[in-house]
Amino acid sequence: MRRPSRTATILLVLLGLLTLLRQVPRRPKALPLRLVDGQGRLVASTQSAVMEKALAGRVAAIPGVLGSTVHLSGAANDLCVQCELTIAESAQVSWVIDAARKRLAGDLAQALSSAPRRVDVLVRLRPAPEGAGQKDGAVVTAGAPQLA
């Protein structure tokens, strides 16, 4: 019986490694988001990364939020939102989460003329930095400030 050559063995090993690497899950490529007017006419289109950055900035303005990232997936008319929030331990966590969900859903519904299918929020609590008990004049620990 003849043994496979060294070159054939190396090629088979490389082919096996390539096959394994193709099975590793990756984040699906985000499609450009199409912005339409009230009649459904295309006004503009943008990369989802641009919208993600803008939404993260809007959520970061909520009192009690120390940091945020937003990821969008799906088409503009069937959008899923994943938001990661870093919230100050002294904040009213349930109010901050509710405010973030409402702001994300409202902003996307206005921009895309279609509400997102789902808005998921992942929360991390962190101690607030010294002197960060107030943000934009709103006390985070006493009562829920009103959204702008």
Side-chain angles (χ1 to χ4, degrees):
M1 182 167 193
R2 187 171 176 225
R3 291 180 37 178
S5 70
R6 200 174 281 214
T7 305
T9 303
I10 291 172
L11 286 175
L12 285 173
V13 168
L14 289 175
L15 182 63
L17 289 173
L18 182 63
T19 302
L20 286 174
L21 285 175
R22 292 191 59 158
Q23 295 177 10
V24 174
R26 291 182 285 284
R27 184 176 174 197
K29 184 178 178 185
L31 299 173
L33 295 174
R34 299 168 52 94
L35 307 176
V36 296
D37 63 10
Q39 288 79 35
R41 294 182 301 224
L42 179 65
V43 176
S45 66
T46 182
Q47 295 298 320
S48 61
V50 174
M51 186 72 77
E52 290 170 351
K53 188 172 181 177
L55 290 169
R58 291 273 298 150
V59 172
I62 295 172
V65 175
L66 302 175
S68 66
T69 58
V70 175
H71 302 285
L72 303 175
S73 60
N77 60 354
D78 189 32
L79 201 61
C80 291
V81 182
Q82 295 175 331
C83 178
E84 296 179 28
L85 293 178
T86 303
I87 300 176
E89 287 177 341
S90 60
Q92 291 184 353
V93 176
S94 61
W95 180 85
V96 172
I97 293 170
D98 187 50
R101 278 196 173 116
K102 286 179 181 175
R103 185 166 290 183
L104 288 168
D107 287 355
L108 284 167
Q110 184 177 9
L112 304 175
S113 298
S114 173
R117 178 169 41 109
R118 193 174 77 222
V119 178
D120 297 329
V121 178
L122 172 68
V123 175
R124 292 187 175 89
L125 294 177
R126 297 275 192 276
E130 287 296 316
Q134 294 188 354
K135 186 172 186 178
D136 296 330
V139 177
V140 178
T141 57
Q146 297 298 313
L147 286 177

